[in-house]
Amino acid sequence: MVKKMERTRVAGIIFIDGKIALMHRKDVLKRPEMPEYYTIPGGGLEEGETEEEGTKREIKEEFGIEVKIVKKLYEMKSTKFNQKEIFYLCEYVSGKFGTGQGPEFSNDPKYKDSGKYIPELVEKENIKNINLLPPEIKEKIITDIENGNIKM
């Protein structure tokens, strides 16, 4: 049996005007147990891309903004999705938030069961009250904000 290669997903934790930039997912048909949640913007690496390049590309596609990579914050393995996930702290550089043109915003049939993708800026105080995935990273972000390890 051939083992499927592990995928690498990169994501960017971005603060804009003291709020965290997240993707609000609504009406997700392919996850009936969880039709609404938030995620940290990101996606799979493309062939030949570095983790940093992939993070910047995904954020540009999803939010329409340019960012600078500050540092790697977290790394985790997701056995459910057979992937390594890497989360970078990013600094907003330029662009208008919410103008992403990535494939998830097209009418591509591949995304028809994925629901709506809504870019949102969430207040620091509200992070605890939303369903932010993955939960392990949500807890790390909250702890790091509270301990002053991440500046908003």
Side-chain angles (χ1 to χ4, degrees):
M1 187 170 128
V2 177
K3 187 178 178 199
K4 194 175 169 191
M5 273 186 55
E6 179 182 77
R7 175 179 185 250
T8 298
R9 180 184 187 271
V10 290
I13 297 168
I14 314 150
F15 296 101
I16 301 173
D17 299 329
K19 299 174 184 164
I20 188 168
L22 299 173
M23 188 61 76
H24 190 172
R25 302 286 308 279
K26 284 182 146 183
D27 307 323
V28 182
L29 300 176
K30 67 182 181 183
R31 291 183 87 165
E33 79 287 0
M34 196 179 309
E36 183 174 354
Y37 56 92
Y38 289 79
T39 62
I40 295 162
L45 282 181
E46 292 183 355
E47 194 171 328
E49 252 181 348
T50 66
E51 293 168 357
E52 292 85 355
E53 289 167 343
T55 303
K56 289 177 170 185
R57 176 187 49 75
E58 284 289 342
I59 290 167
K60 178 75 173 169
E61 285 178 7
E62 293 187 11
F63 288 164
I65 60 173
E66 301 286 340
V67 296
K68 176 176 98 178
I69 304 293
V70 176
K71 65 180 178 181
K72 183 195 279 190
L73 283 179
Y74 318 117
E75 186 170 320
M76 65 177 273
K77 285 225 183 259
S78 169
T79 49
K80 180 178 180 179
F81 297 110
N82 188 36
Q83 67 185 4
K84 173 171 68 170
E85 295 190 63
I86 302 165
F87 298 85
Y88 286 93
L89 179 62
C90 300
E91 184 179 301
Y92 168 80
V93 174
S94 65
K96 184 172 188 242
F97 180 79
T99 60
Q101 300 291 316
E104 51 278 283
F105 299 110
S106 69
N107 289 322
D108 185 335
K110 181 171 122 181
Y111 292 92
K112 82 176 180 66
D113 292 338
S114 296
K116 296 180 188 87
Y117 288 75
I118 306 160
E120 284 186 20
L121 295 173
V122 176
E123 298 280 351
K124 168 175 75 171
E125 303 76 38
N126 294 337
I127 297 171
K128 290 179 181 175
N129 304 322
I130 62 172
N131 186 17
L132 175 59
L133 301 179
E136 308 91 316
I137 299 303
K138 172 185 175 177
E139 293 309 313
K140 287 178 189 259
I141 291 170
I142 290 168
T143 300
D144 282 344
I145 289 171
E146 288 173 350
N147 293 338
N149 300 331
I150 297 177
K151 305 279 185 257
M152 293 185 78

